[in-house]
Amino acid sequence: MNAQAHQGPAIELKGIGKSFGPVVANKDIDLVVGKGSVHGIIGENGAGKSTLMSILYGFYTADTGEILISGKKAHIPDSKAAIESGIGMVHQHFMLVDTFSVVENIMLGAEGGAMLDKGIDDARKELKRLAEEYDMHVDPDAIVGELPVGLQQRVEILKALYRGADILILDEPTGVLTPAEADHLFRILDVLRNEGKTVLLITHKLREIMHITDTVSVMRRGEMVATRKTAETSMSELAELMVGRSVLLEVEKQPAKPGAPLLKVENLNVKDERGVMRVKNASLEVRAGEILGIAGVSGNGQSELLKAISGIEKAQTGKVTIGTHVIDLTGECDAAAMRDYGMSHVPEDRHKMGLVNAFSEAENSILGYHREPKYSKGLLLDKEFIRKEAMERIEKYDIRPPSTELKAAKFSGGNQQKIVLAREIERDPDVLIIGQPTRGVDIGAIEYIHKRIIEMRDAGKAVLLVSVELDEIRSLSDRIMVMFDGEIMGERGPEASEQELGLLMAGVKNTEAA
Ligand code: ADP
Ligand code: MG
């Protein structure tokens, strides 16, 4: 924190209200944001965070209330007015033009339109100055669409600074970033704060809040329920404020009682479509009644490992053994055969592989299993049976809203994940493979999903868990393997420190670190 954090507030919101038809997205919200501070706003999905920020940025007009910027009443009917008031926003989905270069994107919309020839040298100079001042280097001539997400986000931030923003709003900025990119972003936010800029950071990740913010406000169901100095609160207090009840952040579990190996993977090598080796000679074994966790920074071969093991993508070499069935992974992919042998798979990308958004909850609840005899009546699907079974699962897994007819797209991330989990768990597999079980899932549902995974283990299943959330790996796993650049770097027990695992995740073996 710097000295400027104690000056008058940068932003004051008073009694802000906003409804969309019957939905009250923001209700009588008061908020004071100190100048030169990083102010976090947290809340579950649907709490109203993005709506509030969109009002501040002029996307929506509030039904009630007023906004003060640096003590003066502000009228913000559109984003142009927001920019004039010194507010910049980095959106959840970037608003850059993919085919334009960095410097073209930065100029776009500034100074009353795209003056792409005139002033491009000035823009280039200013971009260079900003990059140096904030330690955010990026090639001004790179085509934006060809940059990795972390750099695209940097361009969004630079664009806001170029337009003279003193107040920067970031809406869930790390959802798309790798942990290393997220760390870099936090260093940038730190620099911005030291330069006296004010940052509003929207996230649902408590760790980030604790790490980077000075102050944190909590939203729940459209209301602002609390504001705390970050140094004076804890993750468990914030979690409780978010969901309105206490949450178990630590997973309660007994020691594992591992039995015979149920899943064995040998000498797996996987190439991607560009011919790059993504998995390098990986072997592993998961026994009945244990959870093997695979940790790693996203993009180090975990996705390819999961796809090969579950029969979705072909491997260059390797075989998998499920119980007594040996399957050659270099042959034609056959996810259905894997399922028949007793493997269930909760894919990491539930939107691409786990669910069909346009199908109803009930249809999704039998996806991949619709040929099972119990779902047919003669030549047709037994709709009544399917609906009844789906309803039982909705009750058991507390899927909300409790509708078998609602399309999958209409459920929140947490509830979509519960639909997939229910489908894969309820068929009672021997081997359960789960990728990123709680990505984009709100905190109440995370606790629930973790409990179900432990129950599977305690029922004697072999569970292979892949997650980029190290906390999740550490709290659930009985053994931990770390993947880096396609290789399994080593195996550790659940007592391994975050630092030890972190080094492996960065590709450093213990012998090198010592
Ligand atoms: P958060 O960002 O905290 O996840 P949002 O502000 O996006 O929450 O949403 C708050 C509530 O307002 C949700 O119930 C959401 O469905 C609703 N909502 C948001 N934007 C719109 C809109 N344009 N039309 C209708 N409902 C909306
Ligand atoms: Mg949002």
Side-chain angles (χ1 to χ4, degrees):
M1 238 186 292
N2 67 54
Q4 282 172 305
H6 303 291
Q7 291 177 8
I11 305 166
E12 283 168 88
L13 302 181
K14 293 183 180 169
I16 297 285
K18 177 75 186 171
S19 296
F20 297 103
V23 179
V24 183
N26 285 168
K27 189 175 164 195
D28 196 19
I29 293 200
D30 293 335
L31 178 71
V32 178
V33 180
K35 245 182 206 129
S37 69
V38 177
H39 193 123
I41 297 190
I42 56 166
E44 292 194 276
N45 289 325
K49 307 178 295 290
S50 293
T51 301
L52 188 65
M53 293 305 115
S54 300
I55 290 170
L56 192 51
Y57 194 62
F59 269 166
Y60 297 140
T61 308
D63 302 334
T64 64
E66 57 180 29
I67 302 173
L68 283 79
I69 307 289
S70 293
K72 283 202 236 37
K73 206 170 160 194
H75 175 57
I76 311 180
D78 51 27
S79 58
K80 192 163 160 276
I83 293 163
E84 279 161 10
S85 305
I87 300 172
M89 184 153 177
V90 175
H91 295 273
Q92 219 163 349
H93 306 285
F94 303 144
M95 304 256 180
L96 300 169
V97 182
D98 277 358
T99 51
F100 279 13
S101 72
V102 169
V103 65
E104 285 165 346
N105 263 287
I106 291 210
M107 294 177 72
L108 205 63
E111 296 154 29
M115 301 184 296
L116 290 181
D117 292 325
K118 207 168 137 229
I120 197 156
D121 289 336
D122 290 350
R124 207 183 285 276
K125 256 183 229 144
E126 174 65 2
L127 182 60
K128 189 155 176 268
R129 191 190 67 73
L130 287 170
E132 261 151 35
E133 179 170 0
Y134 298 106
D135 190 20
M136 282 193 276
H137 294 278
V138 49
D139 174 6
D141 298 310
I143 299 300
V144 159
E146 292 169 4
L147 293 173
V149 212
L151 282 180
Q152 292 190 11
Q153 187 178 60
R154 199 175 291 181
V155 176
E156 280 261 4
I157 297 173
L158 284 165
K159 182 171 178 170
L161 294 172
Y162 182 80
R163 295 166 164 203
D166 285 320
I167 298 166
L168 208 61
I169 305 170
L170 293 109
D171 194 352
E172 304 269 0
T174 61
V176 292
L177 301 184
T178 65
E181 288 171 331
D183 277 347
H184 195 109
L185 174 67
F186 292 148
R187 284 199 295 279
I188 290 170
L189 296 188
D190 207 31
V191 176
L192 290 170
R193 164 169 53 196
N194 289 331
E195 299 278 324
K197 305 279 182 194
T198 304
V199 178
L200 267 166
L201 174 70
I202 319 304
T203 177
H204 59 261
K205 297 185 183 169
L206 293 171
R207 173 171 288 279
E208 295 179 351
I209 289 288
M210 300 310 286
H211 187 68
I212 187 72
T213 65
D214 302 298
T215 311
V216 50
S217 295
V218 187
M219 290 188 75
R220 185 167 77 227
R221 296 181 188 205
E223 292 183 65
M224 194 60 85
V225 293
T227 293
R228 297 274 187 275
K229 287 210 166 65
T230 310
E232 292 167 7
T233 185
S234 62
M235 291 216 265
S236 53
E237 185 193 24
L238 292 174
E240 186 168 343
L241 286 166
M242 268 166 78
V243 299
R245 64 187 168 84
S246 64
V247 177
L248 287 174
L249 283 175
E250 294 284 309
V251 181
E252 272 181 55
K253 64 181 207 289
Q254 303 300 313
K257 299 192 193 78
L262 290 182
L263 175 72
K264 219 155 122 186
V265 178
E266 290 166 89
N267 304 328
L268 183 64
N269 282 284
V270 185
K271 256 190 208 162
D272 68 13
E273 64 273 20
R274 290 183 300 155
V276 180
M277 267 304 183
R278 302 308 305 263
V279 179
K280 299 172 183 166
N281 217 22
S283 295
L284 58 87
E285 197 176 272
V286 192
R287 298 197 281 166
E290 74 166 354
I291 299 175
L292 172 64
I294 308 242
V297 172
S298 116
N300 275 283
Q302 302 97 312
S303 305
E304 291 80 3
L305 178 90
L306 284 182
K307 283 183 190 158
I309 297 178
S310 57
I312 294 172
E313 264 173 30
K314 199 171 145 170
Q316 266 55 50
T317 73
K319 62 180 181 180
V320 59
T321 311
I322 306 171
T324 56
H325 304 278
V326 183
I327 303 129
D328 174 11
L329 294 176
T330 65
E332 278 310 300
C333 295
D334 197 351
M338 303 285 198
R339 285 196 284 264
D340 289 343
Y341 295 147
M343 178 191 280
S344 271
H345 179 207
V346 178
E348 58 178 356
D349 189 340
R350 62 179 170 266
H351 295 288
K352 271 203 201 121
M353 296 193 303
L355 288 170
V356 178
N357 268 332
F359 282 10
S360 70
E361 196 281 340
E363 286 164 329
N364 272 291
S365 79
I366 60 165
L367 207 65
Y369 303 111
H370 56 279
R371 289 203 181 80
E372 286 183 7
K374 68 172 176 177
Y375 296 128
S376 337
K377 204 153 101 189
L379 290 172
L380 301 173
L381 284 174
D382 184 348
K383 291 249 171 68
E384 191 42 39
F385 176 82
I386 293 168
R387 203 198 54 79
K388 212 170 125 264
E389 187 192 69
M391 203 57 219
E392 282 164 17
R393 289 179 185 177
I394 283 175
E395 277 159 24
K396 185 164 171 194
Y397 287 78
D398 191 22
I399 295 165
R400 278 177 273 172
S403 161
T404 56
E405 301 320 307
L406 200 64
K407 303 269 183 272
K410 301 277 183 200
F411 289 87
S412 71
N415 285 295
Q416 289 175 341
Q417 188 67 324
K418 287 184 197 168
I419 296 171
V420 179
L421 264 184
R423 181 182 73 216
E424 299 302 328
I425 286 180
E426 284 305 307
R427 59 186 293 265
D428 197 29
D430 296 329
V431 175
L432 180 64
I433 297 192
I434 314 181
Q436 318 299 351
T438 56
R439 179 148 70 192
V441 167
D442 47 49
I443 208 156
I446 289 177
E447 183 187 13
Y448 182 88
I449 290 168
H450 283 173
K451 277 191 183 149
R452 294 287 87 76
I453 294 173
I454 297 287
E455 275 172 19
M456 288 299 277
R457 179 198 79 161
D458 292 343
K461 316 297 183 186
V463 181
L464 178 65
L465 166 74
V466 174
S467 173
V468 294
E469 301 290 344
L470 189 54
D471 288 345
E472 179 163 79
I473 291 283
R474 289 175 76 216
S475 54
L476 290 175
S477 310
D478 302 302
R479 289 187 295 126
I480 300 172
M481 283 179 166
V482 180
M483 264 185 106
F484 173 76
D485 193 23
E487 229 181 293
I488 290 176
M489 296 292 288
E491 183 186 322
R492 297 288 182 274
E495 71 289 343
S497 69
E498 193 169 338
Q499 194 198 10
E500 187 177 4
L501 295 168
L503 278 172
L504 289 171
M505 285 165 67
V508 183
K509 291 209 166 121
N510 271 14
T511 45
E512 296 170 53

